[in-house]
Amino acid sequence: MKLAARVGQVTPSITLAIAAKAKAMKLEGIDVCSFSAGEPDFDTPAHIKAAAEKALADGKTKYGPAAGEPGLRQAIANKLQKENGLCYSAENVIVTNGGKHSLFNLMMALIDAGDEVIIPAPYWLSYPEMVKLVGGTPVIVATDTQAGCKITPDQLRQALTPRTKLLILNSPSNPTGMVYTPDEVRALAAVVVESGIWVVSDEIYEKLLYDGAQHLSIGAVSAAVFDRTIISNGFAKAYSMTGWRIGYLAGPVDLIKAASTVQGHSTSNVCTFAQYGAIAALESSQDCVEEMRRAFADRRQVMLDGINSIPGVSCPKPDGAFYLFPNIAKTGMKSLEFCDALLESQQVAVIPGVAFGADDHIRLSYATDMPTIEKGVERLAKFVHQFV
Ligand SMILES: *Cc1c(COP(=O)(O)O)cnc(C)c1O
């Protein structure tokens, strides 16, 4: 079959493939320790489920406006004003089928064939693929481990060309867990303003911060950068709502209208009664978020100590999200070979760094229970010991 050329340039998601393989091995009764999934292991908090159940019982079962339920758009605008210092109203917000979909809508609405999109590496694996799917050109900028895997203002300036349209920022980061400090965000904002490009800030992990790290939304730095900023966020990570598929994009009204048009001809509205769960998530107590964050903080420490006690493996301490991104170069293996061998011989599932543009690394998620973390790290140590 002759498929469309755009599909030929795109690689399937390695994360989803490995997570699926680990799940299949578990079903066969194999004792797998999986650090592959990028999703919290907690159930969705009960009050959020109850709100969706009530909406379902109340007959919120029909088509709604493509851009989202008005009540949810307003609740999101309130949240962005109150928590992030971003002056948005409901018309600046579109509700999407997850954070991934909000970014895809953005690419559809903003990127033309040949437009360049700057993506600091290591990056979330879907960014370059989304850019390619809409005909844009991903421009990957390698960052320094010494600089915390963060793009510097100079690196950003050097990557600019007359075709540069957009910069993708992701802090806290998947896969590294690093967080840009407020000063670093301000310095990048200055380059965005002086160059007149757009910036999309993927803030899906903004609530998962440790050791006093602070999240500054780039759009809050100044009125000038606010005008060039688009925010992508969602409910999956903070509220353990991965399967609900609810995210959002916020930005200038023209862009949000264009994204709504795209959505109106593709998915239409997000599941109507699910959106009522999202309203409850924003408008009820945030204690559930803090409880999960604390559990992640404990697991992070245990996994980090375990990993850094393995000779030949090193990992800086990340300030956010729920991932570690250790360097495995001393084993002499590239990441894919390392991950295949680890899964085969020790039944530990991790994601090869090559998927994120960093072949000397692997990504481990600590969004899993403590016994699995302890057992899995022990197996990882046994595995690495054969090569170092
Ligand atoms: C999980 C994730 C998203 C969004 O996921 P959805 O499930 O589509 O909401 C976006 N960006 C990054 C970096 C992520 O890890």
Side-chain angles (χ1 to χ4, degrees):
M1 194 196 299
K2 188 178 177 305
L3 297 173
R6 81 177 70 82
V7 176
Q9 306 169 8
V10 172
T11 21
S13 167
I14 303 185
T15 18
L16 294 183
I18 293 186
K21 186 170 176 191
K23 261 184 198 164
M25 286 171 73
K26 262 187 202 166
L27 278 178
E28 281 174 45
I30 300 170
D31 174 25
V32 181
C33 294
S34 184
F35 302 134
S36 58
E39 78 177 319
D41 55 322
F42 306 107
D43 195 3
T44 303
H47 67 279
I48 297 174
K49 293 206 278 189
E53 278 164 18
K54 178 170 184 305
L56 187 55
D58 289 349
K60 305 279 189 203
T61 57
K62 303 292 187 194
Y63 287 137
E69 291 294 292
L72 180 53
R73 293 175 78 190
Q74 187 60 54
I76 292 166
N78 294 348
K79 177 260 180 235
L80 290 168
Q81 286 199 21
K82 199 175 73 186
E83 291 184 0
N84 304 104
L86 301 166
C87 188
Y88 289 125
S89 56
E91 62 174 356
N92 297 105
V93 174
I94 175 176
V95 181
T96 60
N97 287 278
K100 196 179 260 184
H101 185 222
S102 71
L103 291 163
F104 191 77
N105 277 341
L106 167 66
M107 299 306 165
M108 288 289 283
L110 190 69
I111 301 304
D112 265 327
D115 282 350
E116 294 178 356
V117 178
I118 297 178
I119 305 174
Y123 47 76
W124 187 44
L125 74 182
S126 293
Y127 298 145
E129 308 308 313
M130 285 182 189
V131 172
K132 286 190 269 175
L133 272 171
V134 301
T137 306
V139 175
I140 309 296
V141 176
T143 61
D144 273 342
T145 318
Q146 263 70 34
C149 296
K150 302 181 218 182
I151 191 170
T152 64
D154 278 345
Q155 286 173 325
L156 175 55
R157 264 189 214 103
Q158 278 160 22
L160 294 169
T161 77
R163 312 214 67 164
T164 307
K165 188 76 183 266
L166 178 69
L167 162 69
I168 304 182
L169 270 190
N170 173 218
S171 177
S173 151
N174 176 4
T176 66
M178 64 80 200
V179 180
Y180 285 84
T181 65
D183 279 346
E184 288 165 343
V185 173
R186 287 184 198 106
L188 291 174
V191 183
V192 168
V193 170
E194 83 196 19
S195 60
I197 61 172
W198 291 91
V199 58
V200 60
S201 183
D202 180 350
E203 309 194 340
I204 194 96
Y205 294 103
E206 66 168 335
K207 306 269 185 185
L208 299 176
L209 297 167
Y210 314 108
D211 296 342
Q214 262 183 294
H215 168 76
L216 174 62
S217 189
I218 189 163
V221 169
S222 68
V225 76
F226 178 71
D227 290 344
R228 318 287 318 161
T229 298
I230 301 129
I231 304 289
S232 178
N233 204 331
F235 295 82
K237 310 293 163 54
Y239 298 98
S240 202
M241 290 171 68
T242 44
W244 290 61
R245 313 308 305 134
I246 313 180
Y248 54 90
L249 195 67
V253 172
D254 287 358
L255 175 80
I256 297 304
K257 277 194 180 148
S260 304
T261 303
V262 170
Q263 185 153 298
H265 289 296
S266 49
T267 60
S268 294
N269 66 281
V270 174
C271 172
T272 304
F273 52 86
Q275 293 185 60
Y276 286 84
I279 295 175
L282 290 179
E283 293 188 339
S284 308
S285 157
Q286 302 298 298
D287 290 355
C288 56
V289 178
E290 176 59 11
E291 249 170 64
M292 291 190 269
R293 191 198 66 82
R294 282 193 190 176
F296 287 136
D298 293 344
R299 295 159 177 194
R300 158 176 161 274
Q301 195 61 54
V302 169
M303 189 182 254
L304 186 71
D305 291 347
I307 296 281
N308 277 330
S309 72
I310 303 173
V313 180
S314 62
C315 187
K317 193 173 195 175
D319 297 325
F322 42 59
Y323 306 103
L324 299 185
F325 202 58
N327 187 303
I328 48 118
K330 287 201 175 134
T331 63
M333 280 182 278
K334 285 301 179 189
S335 62
L336 198 54
E337 184 193 354
F338 183 99
C339 293
D340 278 341
L342 178 65
L343 185 57
E344 282 301 315
S345 71
Q346 296 290 338
Q347 295 79 48
V348 176
V350 303
I351 307 291
V354 68
F356 311 99
D359 210 2
D360 285 338
H361 293 255
I362 57 171
R363 190 196 76 178
L364 298 91
S365 158
Y366 51 84
T368 187
D369 58 275
M370 207 64 108
T372 302
I373 290 174
E374 282 163 358
K375 189 161 67 176
V377 170
E378 218 168 275
R379 292 183 189 179
L380 179 64
K382 218 188 282 172
F383 175 77
V384 171
H385 185 67
Q386 304 169 68
F387 305 102
V388 176

